[in-house]
């Protein structure tokens, strides 16, 4: 009986949403550590914008979303950050794939709720850079003359 009680106490402290997201990122990492890093950055950025929470703080009710909120997120990335279409598409794709994963693991979510029309290729690409590399380059550009313009 004591062992059963201890197991239940440990189970109460587990954050199911964070554990599911971690499992998803672990799966992504098997393909590429760079992809895993980029996906994690994109997912963290999204939930900080959408719920003002870190992944470790998310609850199941935080996953509920309407497609119009994703449209607003896409507009936020385009308008507030002036990101190119390709980069915005790259930030949105991991969210869709995460929601597909969550749906397969019996969360009450639908991937189509976060799916967006892909923005047309605008020729602005970061090429083979990781998000971390691109952010580092942007920070370096800020230190130069007319740095704000070079950052974008």
């Amino acid at each position: 009986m004591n062992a059963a009680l201890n197991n239940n106490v440990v189970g109460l402290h587990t954050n199911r949403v964070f554990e599911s997201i971690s499992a998803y990122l672990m799966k992504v990492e098997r393909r590429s550590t760079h992809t895993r890093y980029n996906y994690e950055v994109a997912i963290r950025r999204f939930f900080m914008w959408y719920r003002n929470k870190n992944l470790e703080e998310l609850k199941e009710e935080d996953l509920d979303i309407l497609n119009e909120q994703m449209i607003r997120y896409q507009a936020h990335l385009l308008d507030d950050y002036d990101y190119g279409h390709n980069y915005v598409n790259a930030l949105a794709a991991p969210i869709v794939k995460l929601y597909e994963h969550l749906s397969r693991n019996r969360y009450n979510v639908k991937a189509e709720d976060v799916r967006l029309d892909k923005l047309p290729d605008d020729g602005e690409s970061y090429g083979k850079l990781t998000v971390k590399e691109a952010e580092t380059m942007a920070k370096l550009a800020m230190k130069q003359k007319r740095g704000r313009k070079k950052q974008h």
Side-chain angles (χ1 to χ4, degrees):
M1 175 140 163
N2 240 356
L5 181 60
N6 286 339
N7 286 342
N8 286 338
V9 171
V10 171
L12 291 175
H13 297 289
T14 302
N15 181 334
R16 181 173 181 244
V17 174
F18 178 67
E19 291 299 320
S20 294
I21 293 171
S22 295
Y24 170 69
L25 291 171
M26 185 185 334
K27 180 180 90 169
V28 170
E29 187 171 23
R30 287 191 192 115
R31 290 185 306 215
S32 165
T33 55
H34 293 299
T35 301
R36 183 216 187 276
Y37 177 81
N38 291 342
Y39 275 36
E40 183 175 349
V41 167
I43 292 166
R44 283 186 181 279
R45 172 181 277 185
F46 170 73
F47 281 109
M48 189 53 70
W49 173 84
Y50 180 54
R51 293 296 188 185
N52 198 29
K53 290 186 177 183
N54 290 312
L55 298 182
E56 296 81 1
E57 302 169 306
L58 292 174
K59 306 286 183 226
E60 287 191 50
E61 57 268 17
D62 294 325
L63 301 174
D64 187 39
I65 189 166
L66 298 173
N67 185 259
E68 65 189 32
Q69 291 161 314
M70 280 301 292
I71 293 168
R72 292 185 200 297
Y73 180 61
Q74 185 182 54
H76 162 71
L77 295 172
L78 289 166
D79 300 337
D80 296 344
Y81 289 101
D82 198 30
Y83 289 147
H85 290 183
N86 295 346
Y87 190 53
V88 172
N89 288 338
L91 289 173
I95 309 306
V96 175
K97 292 180 181 187
L98 171 65
Y99 270 72
E100 288 170 351
H101 168 82
L102 294 171
S103 178
R104 283 191 300 273
N105 285 280
R106 298 194 177 114
Y107 284 85
N108 189 24
V109 297
K110 295 183 226 159
E112 47 281 358
D113 291 343
V114 294
R115 195 165 285 124
L116 294 165
D117 292 337
K118 190 174 180 179
L119 297 169
D121 186 341
D122 60 2
E124 292 186 30
S125 174
Y126 288 112
K128 298 289 184 180
L129 295 179
T130 65
V131 171
K132 190 175 194 176
E133 292 167 333
E135 288 172 346
T136 300
M137 290 177 70
K139 286 177 187 172
L140 291 172
M142 285 296 292
K143 295 177 183 177
Q144 297 182 6
K145 186 177 179 183
R146 295 190 342 219
R148 185 76 180 152
K149 184 173 182 173
K150 292 177 184 179
Q151 182 187 28
H152 298 288

